[in-house]
Amino acid sequence: MDLETLWFILIALLFTGYFFLEGFDFGVGILYRFLPGDRTERSMMRSAIGPHWDANEVWLITAGGAMFAAFPDWYATLFSGFYLPLFLIVVALIVRIVGIELRGKMFSERSRSWCDALFFLGSLLPAFLWGVAITNIVRGVPIDASMTYTGTLLTLLSPYALLGGVVSTLVFTLHGALFLSMRVEGELAERARRTARSLWWPAALALGTFALLGYRETVLFERMGLVPGTLPLMAVLSFVACYVFIHARKAVWAFASGGATIVLGTVVAFEGLFPRVMVSSLGPQYDLTIRNASSSEYTLQVMLLVALTLLPLVLGYQAWTYWIFRQRVTRRSVELEGSH
């Protein structure tokens, strides 16, 4: 395997990890506006993601840094052409941090309500915009011979791209509900399970429509033909299994199955792109590929050594934090924490 292919796979894995981990953070933030019945349950929801949300965002930072170093032309074209949506994602993530971190320092109920609104909006907007962005990358956007995006903001807001945003929002919200049903106890966990069961059907309808239109709208059609490959079928089976486990009250297995759908869906998108990194709607001769968008071989070699040294440490630390905070969040634990 050459270095360009290896780094494409590594970046794909980083984005896959980000969508899986940050996906349930987004989902919890979206449900935060509707699910909790009282102040204690709101605290339970914040505590469920409290030890993890900031570490989950590191996956995005690492993916962006790896893209910048390994494929600078991909990074330049993507961040210049998608500047406004990506800028809004960054602003929303900052707003969410403000809502989470400052809430405990506010003394008035009105100020805490503003922080709750920031937490909700800072979760909803990225959940939607990431779906729009990934859909446009796979579908193709106008890129000319100089690797410059020549479209406008409206170009990125096609009906199919907006459908992609709806799909990602529904799937991440479902992911968050499944995470809560696994991480909290009591009536909140049961309410999260019922919410997940209700969300499954609109998510399935949106996903099915998105997948069927994808054969006409995206490069996946030419790569996979009329018969879906193994990975798309596995994604369908995992999503169906998620519904079965929700009804069987198997919270951990339902979360794992729903998460597998996100993982497989992301892998399908990157597999459909390869060896391209961005598709030009002006013609295949203008596509950005792992060859014409990559850094020098020496740069890729140095980066690989750094990644092989640091990445296992980061993964080990994050796995350790999930193990330490593996216990379910209860009303009593939140009330005791608030008393100190």
Side-chain angles (χ1 to χ4, degrees):
M1 183 184 300
D2 57 71
L3 288 172
E4 290 88 352
T5 301
L6 179 59
W7 271 105
F8 178 86
I9 294 173
L10 288 175
I11 291 172
L13 290 176
L14 287 170
F15 274 108
T16 300
Y18 173 72
F19 290 137
F20 174 81
L21 294 171
E22 192 76 328
F24 64 72
D25 287 343
F26 291 150
V28 171
I30 294 169
L31 292 171
Y32 187 79
R33 197 71 173 173
F34 312 105
L35 199 61
D38 55 32
R39 181 181 301 178
T40 301
E41 288 187 346
R42 286 196 292 272
S43 297
M44 291 171 66
M45 292 180 67
R46 293 195 307 273
S47 297
I49 65 170
H52 311 300
W53 66 266
D54 49 353
N56 292 342
E57 290 186 352
V58 173
W59 288 73
L60 175 61
I61 298 171
T62 307
M67 183 188 297
F68 172 76
F71 300 102
D73 288 318
W74 181 13
Y75 181 93
T77 302
L78 177 65
F79 278 77
S80 61
F82 291 41
Y83 179 81
L84 184 56
L86 294 177
F87 175 77
L88 290 176
I89 288 175
V90 172
V91 170
L93 293 177
I94 294 172
V95 162
R96 186 178 65 148
I97 293 172
V98 172
I100 294 173
E101 294 291 341
L102 292 187
R103 191 186 192 281
K105 299 175 176 61
M106 297 298 177
F107 297 101
S108 69
E109 192 62 36
R110 182 178 182 181
S111 298
R112 286 193 288 268
S113 297
W114 274 106
C115 289
D116 291 343
L118 294 178
F119 181 28
F120 168 72
L121 292 174
S123 301
L124 176 64
L125 191 59
F128 177 78
L129 290 177
W130 274 121
V132 174
I134 296 298
T135 301
N136 276 301
I137 291 173
V138 177
R139 180 174 180 262
V141 292
I143 300 172
D144 62 18
S146 62
M147 299 185 181
T148 302
Y149 174 77
T150 60
T152 64
L153 177 61
L154 292 179
T155 306
L156 303 177
L157 300 179
S158 67
Y160 185 67
L162 294 177
L163 176 60
V166 172
V167 168
S168 62
T169 303
L170 287 172
V171 171
F172 287 153
T173 307
L174 172 62
H175 196 40
L178 294 171
F179 178 77
L180 286 173
S181 69
M182 179 184 67
R183 285 285 290 125
V184 302
E185 287 186 349
E187 176 58 29
L188 181 59
E190 178 59 26
R191 202 178 304 126
R193 190 191 69 82
R194 292 197 301 264
T195 301
R197 184 178 60 189
S198 300
L199 281 171
W200 190 92
W201 286 104
L205 177 61
L207 270 171
T209 305
F210 182 76
L212 290 175
L213 291 176
Y215 279 95
R216 178 174 62 87
E217 295 282 347
T218 73
V219 299
L220 298 180
F221 178 83
E222 67 179 72
R223 288 192 62 81
M224 297 180 181
L226 294 175
V227 180
T230 302
L231 288 176
L233 290 176
M234 289 175 62
V236 171
L237 291 176
S238 67
F239 198 64
V240 173
C242 174
Y243 184 78
V244 174
F245 287 127
I246 292 173
H247 274 267
R249 296 178 177 272
K250 303 291 186 181
V252 175
W253 285 103
F255 173 75
S257 300
T261 304
I262 295 175
V263 169
L264 290 168
T266 308
V267 172
V268 166
F270 278 95
E271 192 274 338
L273 274 177
F274 185 81
R276 295 161 289 200
V277 293
M278 288 191 74
V279 179
S280 174
S281 59
L282 302 181
Q285 68 273 22
Y286 302 133
D287 289 347
L288 273 67
T289 69
I290 62 172
R291 310 300 178 194
N292 63 18
S294 70
S295 295
S296 67
E297 185 173 356
Y298 178 74
T299 300
L300 298 179
Q301 289 174 347
V302 172
M303 286 179 55
L304 183 60
L305 292 175
V306 174
L308 292 177
T309 303
L310 298 180
L311 191 58
L313 297 176
V314 174
L315 292 177
Y317 171 77
Q318 192 159 20
W320 178 76
T321 61
Y322 275 95
W323 174 255
I324 292 296
F325 296 101
R326 66 187 182 277
Q327 299 297 330
R328 284 178 179 259
V329 178
T330 65
R331 293 185 72 94
R332 179 173 174 77
S333 65
V334 169
E335 290 167 355
L336 286 175
E337 183 180 349
S339 64
H340 292 291

